[in-house]
Each structure stands twice: as structure tokens, then as C-alpha cells.
Amino acid sequence: AEWTATILSSFYAMSGSALGLDIDGTITSAPEYFSALSRAWRDAGRQVQVISSRSDYLESRSETLKELRRLGINFDELHLLRPPGKELTPCPYQNLDWFQVYLWQKVAIAQERGVSIYFDDDEKVVRLFRRYAPKTRIVHVGADDLPTVVDLVRSQRHMVD
């Protein structure tokens, strides 16, 4: 990977930018890329939030933590979604169906944790972010090309300016 001192110093210049990653279809589609990206992001003193649609049960959490370690993902927190009606942050949008409300938890978690760039492969999640979190840069994995670290730094500088 091309993590030069110049690029890393650009990461340090960004204020409060956290990286958000989905697991299934995202991290699992390019584990080497996300391992390098998460490592560089954390090495630069930034937060990495893993936000997955997997259900938040003890066994699921334990297996997911093992999987992330095996894939070499460096992160600060793992967020798994709660069943409908048990969300930590209730969805304020009455126009969403039950499944959109379930997925909206990803948007709420990302906003609460200061995520400025979020990677997900699910079109429904991408639409929710674009509608309800327009300041978050969303990378639609599988539809968009994975950005280089230089692209990410440029996008962060633009967001901070």
C-alpha cells in the first residue's frame, strides 16, 4: 500500500472524521483493501466504526469479532443492529417501512459516531444515507469503484473546508 508520510499527515489534518464499514458484501468483498484502509485510518489516529446489519446477539457478536480479526480489520467499535422496536435511537421518519426503519439504525449510528465516509453494498442503505445523511460520503461497494486513499483525503479536505 502507498501510505506515505504525506498522505498520513493529511489524515491527521482532518478533524473528527470517522470511517464506517459494513461487513457482508463490503469488507468481505475486498478484505485486503479494507484491512489496509482500516489500519491506515487508525494509524492516523482516526476512528473506524464497523456497522453491520447482522443481528446483535451474543453468539453473533462473538463470531463477528473473530471474523473481523481473521480478516485483519482494525476498528474501534462493532455495531450490530437491534430488532425492530428495540433500537437505541428511534427512527424519527414515519414514512419508512419496517425494514427501512431497521436499516436506518446504520444511519443513526454513523451520525452519532461522526462517520464522514461510509462503505456499504446494500442499495437500500445507500439510499437512506443519501436521503437522511447527505453530508456523509457514501461509497456504494459493487457499484462505485473503491476509492484510493488519495481520493479519500481529497474528499475529506473538501468536507472540512
Side-chain angles (χ1 to χ4, degrees), residues 19-88:
L19 176 68
L21 304 174
D22 172 51
I23 301 172
D24 300 306
T26 301
I27 291 173
T28 59
S29 72
E32 298 84 12
Y33 173 85
F34 289 107
S35 174
L37 180 61
S38 65
R39 185 173 41 258
W41 207 268
R42 294 217 45 236
D43 286 350
R46 300 289 170 235
Q47 295 266 315
V48 175
Q49 304 291 323
V50 175
I51 308 169
S52 175
S53 296
R54 294 180 184 185
S55 297
D56 195 2
Y57 298 108
L58 186 58
E59 186 176 305
S60 172
R61 178 171 290 279
S62 175
E63 290 301 315
T64 300
L65 288 167
K66 288 178 194 172
E67 179 182 13
L68 291 170
R69 279 193 288 276
R70 183 177 49 78
L71 293 172
I73 305 302
N74 292 291
F75 61 97
D76 295 281
E77 293 181 279
L78 169 63
H79 306 275
L80 304 177
L81 302 189
R82 293 173 175 245
K86 299 195 186 264
E87 303 90 353
L88 290 176

Coordinates of all heavy atoms in Angstrom, one line a residue, residues 19-88:
L19 N -14.4 6.6 9.9 CA -14.6 5.8 8.8 C -15.7 4.7 9.2 O -15.5 4.2 10.3 CB -13.3 5.1 8.3 CG -13.4 4.1 7.2 CD1 -13.7 4.7 5.9 CD2 -12.0 3.4 7.1
G20 N -16.7 4.5 8.4 CA -17.7 3.5 8.7 C -17.6 2.4 7.6 O -17.5 2.7 6.4
L21 N -17.7 1.1 8.1 CA -17.6 0.0 7.2 C -18.7 -1.0 7.5 O -18.9 -1.4 8.7 CB -16.3 -0.8 7.4 CG -15.0 0.1 7.2 CD1 -13.8 -0.8 7.5 CD2 -14.9 0.6 5.7
D22 N -19.4 -1.5 6.5 CA -20.3 -2.6 6.5 C -19.4 -3.9 6.4 O -18.3 -3.8 6.0 CB -21.3 -2.5 5.4 CG -22.2 -3.8 5.3 OD1 -22.8 -4.2 6.3 OD2 -22.3 -4.3 4.2
I23 N -20.0 -5.0 6.8 CA -19.2 -6.3 6.7 C -19.6 -7.1 5.4 O -18.8 -7.2 4.5 CB -19.4 -7.2 7.9 CG1 -19.0 -6.4 9.2 CG2 -18.6 -8.5 7.8 CD1 -19.3 -7.2 10.5
D24 N -20.8 -7.7 5.4 CA -21.2 -8.6 4.3 C -21.4 -7.9 3.0 O -22.2 -7.0 2.9 CB -22.5 -9.3 4.7 CG -22.3 -10.1 6.0 OD1 -21.3 -10.9 6.1 OD2 -23.0 -9.9 7.0
G25 N -20.6 -8.3 2.0 CA -20.7 -7.7 0.7 C -19.8 -6.5 0.6 O -19.7 -5.9 -0.5
T26 N -19.2 -6.0 1.7 CA -18.4 -4.8 1.7 C -17.0 -5.3 2.1 O -16.1 -5.5 1.2 CB -18.9 -3.7 2.6 OG1 -20.2 -3.4 2.1 CG2 -18.0 -2.5 2.6
I27 N -16.7 -5.4 3.4 CA -15.4 -5.9 3.8 C -15.1 -7.3 3.2 O -14.0 -7.5 2.7 CB -15.4 -6.0 5.4 CG1 -15.4 -4.6 6.0 CG2 -14.1 -6.8 5.8 CD1 -15.5 -4.6 7.5
T28 N -16.2 -8.1 3.2 CA -15.9 -9.5 2.7 C -15.7 -9.5 1.2 O -15.1 -10.5 0.6 CB -17.1 -10.4 3.0 OG1 -18.3 -9.9 2.4 CG2 -17.3 -10.6 4.5
S29 N -16.0 -8.4 0.4 CA -15.8 -8.4 -1.0 C -14.4 -8.0 -1.3 O -13.9 -8.3 -2.4 CB -16.8 -7.4 -1.7 OG -16.4 -6.1 -1.4
A30 N -13.7 -7.3 -0.4 CA -12.3 -6.9 -0.7 C -11.6 -6.8 0.7 O -11.2 -5.7 1.1 CB -12.3 -5.5 -1.4
P31 N -11.3 -7.9 1.3 CA -10.8 -7.9 2.7 C -9.4 -7.2 2.8 O -9.1 -6.5 3.7 CB -10.8 -9.3 3.2 CG -11.0 -10.1 1.9 CD -11.7 -9.3 0.9
E32 N -8.5 -7.4 1.8 CA -7.2 -6.8 1.8 C -7.3 -5.3 1.7 O -6.6 -4.6 2.4 CB -6.3 -7.3 0.6 CG -6.1 -8.8 0.7 CD -7.2 -9.7 0.0 OE1 -8.1 -9.1 -0.6 OE2 -7.2 -10.9 0.2
Y33 N -8.2 -4.8 0.9 CA -8.4 -3.4 0.7 C -8.8 -2.8 2.1 O -8.3 -1.8 2.5 CB -9.4 -3.1 -0.4 CG -9.8 -1.6 -0.5 CD1 -9.1 -0.7 -1.2 CD2 -11.0 -1.1 0.2 CE1 -9.4 0.6 -1.4 CE2 -11.3 0.2 0.0 CZ -10.6 1.1 -0.7 OH -10.9 2.4 -0.8
F34 N -9.9 -3.4 2.7 CA -10.4 -2.8 3.9 C -9.5 -3.0 5.1 O -9.5 -2.2 6.0 CB -11.8 -3.3 4.1 CG -12.8 -2.8 3.2 CD1 -13.3 -3.5 2.1 CD2 -13.2 -1.4 3.2 CE1 -14.2 -3.0 1.2 CE2 -14.0 -0.9 2.3 CZ -14.6 -1.6 1.3
S35 N -8.7 -4.1 5.1 CA -7.7 -4.2 6.1 C -6.6 -3.1 6.0 O -6.3 -2.5 7.1 CB -7.0 -5.6 5.9 OG -5.9 -5.7 6.9
A36 N -6.1 -2.8 4.8 CA -5.2 -1.8 4.7 C -5.8 -0.4 5.0 O -5.2 0.4 5.7 CB -4.6 -1.8 3.3
L37 N -7.0 -0.2 4.5 CA -7.6 1.1 4.8 C -7.9 1.3 6.3 O -7.6 2.4 6.8 CB -9.0 1.2 4.0 CG -9.8 2.5 4.2 CD1 -9.0 3.7 3.7 CD2 -11.1 2.4 3.4
S38 N -8.4 0.3 6.9 CA -8.7 0.5 8.4 C -7.5 0.6 9.2 O -7.4 1.4 10.1 CB -9.6 -0.7 8.9 OG -8.8 -1.9 8.8
R39 N -6.4 -0.1 8.8 CA -5.1 0.1 9.5 C -4.6 1.5 9.4 O -4.2 2.1 10.3 CB -4.1 -1.0 9.0 CG -2.8 -1.0 9.8 CD -1.9 -2.1 9.4 NE -1.8 -2.4 8.0 CZ -2.5 -3.4 7.3 NH1 -3.2 -4.3 8.0 NH2 -2.4 -3.6 6.0
A40 N -4.6 2.0 8.1 CA -4.1 3.4 7.9 C -4.9 4.4 8.6 O -4.4 5.4 9.2 CB -4.1 3.6 6.4
W41 N -6.2 4.2 8.6 CA -7.1 5.2 9.2 C -6.8 5.2 10.7 O -6.7 6.3 11.3 CB -8.6 4.8 8.9 CG -9.5 5.9 9.0 CD1 -10.3 6.3 10.0 CD2 -9.9 6.8 7.9 NE1 -11.0 7.4 9.7 CE2 -10.8 7.7 8.4 CE3 -9.5 6.8 6.5 CZ2 -11.4 8.7 7.6 CZ3 -10.1 7.8 5.7 CH2 -11.0 8.7 6.3
R42 N -6.7 4.1 11.3 CA -6.5 4.0 12.8 C -5.0 4.5 13.1 O -4.8 5.2 14.1 CB -6.7 2.6 13.3 CG -8.2 2.3 13.2 CD -8.8 1.5 14.3 NE -8.5 1.8 15.7 CZ -8.0 1.0 16.6 NH1 -7.8 -0.3 16.2 NH2 -7.9 1.3 17.8
D43 N -4.1 4.1 12.3 CA -2.7 4.6 12.5 C -2.6 6.1 12.5 O -1.7 6.7 13.1 CB -1.7 4.0 11.4 CG -1.4 2.6 11.6 OD1 -1.8 2.0 12.7 OD2 -0.8 2.0 10.7
A44 N -3.5 6.7 11.7 CA -3.6 8.2 11.7 C -4.4 8.8 12.8 O -4.6 10.0 12.9 CB -4.2 8.6 10.3
G45 N -4.8 8.0 13.8 CA -5.5 8.5 14.9 C -7.0 8.7 14.7 O -7.6 9.4 15.5
R46 N -7.5 8.1 13.7 CA -8.9 8.3 13.4 C -9.7 7.0 13.8 O -9.2 5.9 13.9 CB -9.1 8.5 11.9 CG -8.4 9.8 11.4 CD -9.1 11.0 11.9 NE -8.4 12.2 11.7 CZ -8.0 13.0 12.6 NH1 -8.3 12.8 13.8 NH2 -7.3 14.1 12.3
Q47 N -11.0 7.2 14.0 CA -11.9 6.1 14.4 C -12.4 5.3 13.2 O -12.6 5.9 12.1 CB -13.1 6.7 15.1 CG -12.8 7.4 16.4 CD -13.0 6.4 17.6 OE1 -14.0 5.7 17.6 NE2 -12.1 6.5 18.5
V48 N -12.5 4.0 13.4 CA -13.1 3.1 12.4 C -14.3 2.4 13.1 O -14.1 1.8 14.2 CB -12.1 2.0 11.9 CG1 -12.8 1.0 11.0 CG2 -11.0 2.7 11.2
Q49 N -15.5 2.6 12.6 CA -16.7 2.1 13.1 C -17.2 1.0 12.1 O -17.4 1.3 11.0 CB -17.8 3.1 13.2 CG -17.4 4.3 14.1 CD -17.2 4.0 15.6 OE1 -18.0 3.2 16.1 NE2 -16.2 4.5 16.2
V50 N -17.3 -0.2 12.6 CA -17.9 -1.3 11.8 C -19.4 -1.3 12.1 O -19.8 -1.5 13.3 CB -17.2 -2.7 12.0 CG1 -17.9 -3.8 11.3 CG2 -15.8 -2.6 11.7
I51 N -20.3 -1.1 11.1 CA -21.7 -1.0 11.3 C -22.3 -2.1 10.4 O -22.4 -1.8 9.2 CB -22.2 0.4 11.0 CG1 -21.4 1.4 11.8 CG2 -23.7 0.5 11.3 CD1 -21.7 2.9 11.4
S52 N -22.8 -3.1 11.0 CA -23.4 -4.2 10.2 C -24.9 -4.5 10.4 O -25.4 -4.2 11.5 CB -22.6 -5.5 10.5 OG -23.2 -6.6 9.9
S53 N -25.5 -5.0 9.4 CA -27.0 -5.3 9.5 C -27.1 -6.7 10.3 O -28.3 -7.1 10.5 CB -27.6 -5.5 8.1 OG -27.6 -4.2 7.5
R54 N -26.1 -7.3 10.6 CA -26.2 -8.5 11.4 C -26.9 -8.2 12.7 O -26.8 -7.1 13.3 CB -24.8 -9.1 11.7 CG -24.1 -9.6 10.5 CD -22.8 -10.2 10.8 NE -22.0 -10.6 9.6 CZ -20.9 -11.2 9.6 NH1 -20.3 -11.5 10.8 NH2 -20.3 -11.5 8.5
S55 N -27.6 -9.2 13.2 CA -28.4 -9.0 14.5 C -27.5 -9.0 15.7 O -26.5 -9.8 15.7 CB -29.4 -10.1 14.6 OG -30.4 -10.0 13.5
D56 N -27.8 -8.2 16.7 CA -27.0 -8.1 17.9 C -27.4 -9.1 18.9 O -28.1 -8.8 19.9 CB -27.1 -6.7 18.4 CG -26.1 -6.3 19.4 OD1 -25.2 -7.2 19.7 OD2 -26.1 -5.2 20.0
Y57 N -26.8 -10.3 18.7 CA -27.0 -11.4 19.7 C -25.6 -11.8 20.2 O -24.6 -11.6 19.4 CB -27.7 -12.6 19.1 CG -29.1 -12.3 18.7 CD1 -29.5 -12.2 17.4 CD2 -30.1 -12.0 19.6 CE1 -30.8 -11.9 17.0 CE2 -31.4 -11.7 19.3 CZ -31.7 -11.6 17.9 OH -33.0 -11.3 17.5
L58 N -25.4 -12.3 21.4 CA -24.1 -12.6 21.9 C -23.3 -13.5 21.0 O -22.2 -13.2 20.7 CB -24.3 -13.2 23.3 CG -23.0 -13.4 24.1 CD1 -22.2 -12.1 24.3 CD2 -23.3 -14.1 25.5
E59 N -23.9 -14.6 20.6 CA -23.2 -15.5 19.7 C -22.8 -14.9 18.4 O -21.7 -15.0 17.9 CB -24.0 -16.7 19.4 CG -23.3 -17.8 18.7 CD -24.1 -19.1 18.5 OE1 -24.6 -19.6 19.5 OE2 -24.2 -19.5 17.4
S60 N -23.7 -14.1 17.8 CA -23.4 -13.4 16.6 C -22.3 -12.4 16.7 O -21.4 -12.3 15.9 CB -24.7 -12.7 16.1 OG -24.4 -11.8 15.0
R61 N -22.3 -11.6 17.8 CA -21.2 -10.7 18.1 C -19.9 -11.4 18.3 O -18.9 -10.9 17.7 CB -21.6 -9.9 19.4 CG -20.5 -8.9 19.8 CD -21.0 -8.0 20.9 NE -22.0 -7.1 20.4 CZ -21.8 -5.9 19.8 NH1 -20.5 -5.6 19.5 NH2 -22.8 -5.2 19.4
S62 N -19.8 -12.5 19.0 CA -18.6 -13.2 19.2 C -18.0 -13.7 17.9 O -16.8 -13.6 17.6 CB -18.8 -14.4 20.2 OG -17.7 -15.1 20.3
E63 N -18.9 -14.3 17.0 CA -18.4 -14.8 15.7 C -18.0 -13.7 14.8 O -17.0 -13.8 14.1 CB -19.6 -15.6 15.1 CG -19.8 -17.0 15.8 CD -18.6 -17.9 15.8 OE1 -17.9 -18.0 14.8 OE2 -18.4 -18.4 16.9
T64 N -18.7 -12.6 14.9 CA -18.3 -11.4 14.0 C -17.0 -10.9 14.4 O -16.1 -10.5 13.6 CB -19.4 -10.4 14.1 OG1 -20.6 -10.9 13.6 CG2 -19.1 -9.2 13.2
L65 N -16.7 -10.8 15.7 CA -15.4 -10.3 16.2 C -14.3 -11.2 15.7 O -13.2 -10.7 15.3 CB -15.4 -10.1 17.7 CG -16.2 -9.0 18.3 CD1 -16.4 -9.2 19.8 CD2 -15.6 -7.7 18.0
K66 N -14.5 -12.5 15.8 CA -13.5 -13.4 15.3 C -13.2 -13.2 13.8 O -12.1 -13.3 13.4 CB -13.9 -14.9 15.6 CG -13.8 -15.3 17.0 CD -14.4 -16.7 17.2 CE -14.6 -17.0 18.6 NZ -15.3 -18.3 18.8
E67 N -14.3 -13.1 13.1 CA -14.2 -12.9 11.6 C -13.4 -11.6 11.3 O -12.6 -11.6 10.4 CB -15.6 -12.9 11.0 CG -15.6 -12.7 9.5 CD -16.9 -12.6 8.9 OE1 -17.9 -12.4 9.6 OE2 -17.0 -12.7 7.7
L68 N -13.7 -10.5 12.0 CA -13.0 -9.3 11.7 C -11.5 -9.4 12.0 O -10.7 -8.9 11.3 CB -13.7 -8.1 12.5 CG -15.1 -7.8 12.0 CD1 -15.7 -6.8 13.0 CD2 -15.1 -7.2 10.6
R69 N -11.2 -10.1 13.1 CA -9.8 -10.3 13.4 C -9.1 -11.1 12.3 O -8.0 -10.8 11.9 CB -9.7 -10.9 14.8 CG -9.8 -10.0 16.0 CD -9.3 -10.6 17.3 NE -10.3 -11.6 17.8 CZ -11.3 -11.3 18.5 NH1 -11.6 -10.1 18.8 NH2 -12.1 -12.3 18.9
R70 N -9.8 -12.2 11.9 CA -9.2 -13.0 10.9 C -9.0 -12.3 9.6 O -8.0 -12.5 8.8 CB -10.2 -14.2 10.6 CG -9.7 -15.3 9.6 CD -10.6 -16.5 9.5 NE -12.0 -16.1 9.3 CZ -12.5 -15.7 8.1 NH1 -11.8 -15.6 7.1 NH2 -13.8 -15.5 8.1
L71 N -9.9 -11.3 9.2 CA -9.8 -10.6 8.0 C -8.8 -9.4 8.2 O -8.5 -8.7 7.2 CB -11.2 -10.0 7.6 CG -12.2 -11.1 7.2 CD1 -13.6 -10.5 7.0 CD2 -11.7 -11.8 5.9
G72 N -8.3 -9.2 9.4 CA -7.3 -8.1 9.6 C -7.9 -6.7 9.6 O -7.2 -5.7 9.3
I73 N -9.2 -6.6 10.1 CA -9.8 -5.3 10.1 C -9.5 -4.7 11.5 O -9.8 -5.2 12.5 CB -11.3 -5.4 9.9 CG1 -11.7 -6.1 8.6 CG2 -12.0 -4.1 10.0 CD1 -11.1 -5.5 7.4
N74 N -9.0 -3.4 11.4 CA -8.7 -2.7 12.6 C -9.9 -1.7 12.9 O -10.2 -1.0 12.0 CB -7.4 -1.9 12.5 CG -6.2 -2.8 12.4 OD1 -5.9 -3.4 13.4 ND2 -5.6 -2.9 11.3
F75 N -10.5 -1.7 14.0 CA -11.6 -0.9 14.3 C -11.7 -0.6 15.8 O -11.1 -1.2 16.6 CB -12.9 -1.6 13.8 CG -13.2 -2.9 14.5 CD1 -14.0 -3.0 15.6 CD2 -12.5 -4.1 14.1 CE1 -14.3 -4.2 16.3 CE2 -12.8 -5.3 14.8 CZ -13.7 -5.3 15.9
D76 N -12.5 0.4 16.0 CA -12.7 0.9 17.4 C -14.0 0.3 18.0 O -14.0 -0.1 19.2 CB -12.9 2.4 17.4 CG -11.5 3.1 17.0 OD1 -10.6 3.1 17.9 OD2 -11.4 3.5 15.8
E77 N -15.1 0.2 17.2 CA -16.3 -0.3 17.7 C -17.0 -1.1 16.7 O -16.9 -0.8 15.5 CB -17.3 0.8 18.1 CG -16.8 1.6 19.3 CD -17.8 2.7 19.7 OE1 -17.8 3.8 19.0 OE2 -18.6 2.5 20.6
L78 N -17.7 -2.2 17.1 CA -18.6 -3.0 16.3 C -20.0 -2.7 16.7 O -20.4 -2.8 17.8 CB -18.2 -4.5 16.5 CG -19.2 -5.5 15.9 CD1 -19.2 -5.3 14.3 CD2 -18.9 -6.9 16.3
H79 N -20.8 -2.4 15.7 CA -22.2 -2.1 15.9 C -23.0 -3.1 15.1 O -22.9 -3.2 13.9 CB -22.6 -0.7 15.4 CG -21.7 0.4 16.1 ND1 -22.0 0.9 17.3 CD2 -20.6 1.0 15.6 CE1 -21.1 1.8 17.6 NE2 -20.2 1.8 16.6
L80 N -23.9 -3.9 15.8 CA -24.8 -4.8 15.1 C -26.2 -4.3 15.4 O -26.4 -3.6 16.4 CB -24.6 -6.2 15.7 CG -23.2 -6.8 15.6 CD1 -23.1 -8.2 16.2 CD2 -22.8 -6.9 14.1
L81 N -27.1 -4.5 14.5 CA -28.4 -3.9 14.6 C -29.3 -4.7 15.6 O -29.3 -5.9 15.7 CB -29.1 -3.8 13.2 CG -28.3 -3.0 12.2 CD1 -29.2 -2.8 11.0 CD2 -27.8 -1.7 12.7
R82 N -30.2 -3.9 16.3 CA -31.1 -4.5 17.2 C -32.4 -4.8 16.5 O -32.8 -4.1 15.5 CB -31.3 -3.5 18.3 CG -30.1 -3.3 19.2 CD -30.3 -2.2 20.2 NE -29.1 -2.2 21.0 CZ -29.1 -2.5 22.3 NH1 -30.2 -2.7 22.9 NH2 -28.0 -2.4 23.0
P83 N -33.2 -5.7 17.1 CA -34.5 -6.0 16.5 C -35.4 -4.8 16.4 O -35.3 -3.9 17.2 CB -35.1 -7.1 17.4 CG -34.0 -7.5 18.3 CD -33.0 -6.4 18.3
P84 N -36.4 -4.8 15.4 CA -37.3 -3.7 15.4 C -38.0 -3.4 16.7 O -38.4 -4.3 17.4 CB -38.3 -4.1 14.3 CG -37.5 -5.1 13.5 CD -36.6 -5.8 14.4
G85 N -38.1 -2.1 17.1 CA -38.7 -1.8 18.3 C -37.7 -1.7 19.5 O -38.1 -1.2 20.6
K86 N -36.5 -2.2 19.3 CA -35.5 -2.1 20.4 C -34.3 -1.3 20.0 O -33.2 -1.5 20.6 CB -35.1 -3.6 20.7 CG -36.3 -4.4 21.2 CD -35.8 -5.6 21.9 CE -36.9 -6.5 22.3 NZ -37.4 -6.4 23.6
E87 N -34.4 -0.4 19.0 CA -33.3 0.4 18.5 C -32.9 1.3 19.6 O -33.7 1.7 20.5 CB -33.8 1.3 17.3 CG -34.3 0.5 16.2 CD -35.8 0.3 16.2 OE1 -36.5 0.6 17.2 OE2 -36.4 -0.3 15.2
L88 N -31.6 1.6 19.7 CA -31.1 2.6 20.6 C -31.6 4.0 20.4 O -31.8 4.8 21.3 CB -29.5 2.5 20.6 CG -28.9 1.3 21.2 CD1 -27.4 1.3 21.1 CD2 -29.3 1.1 22.7

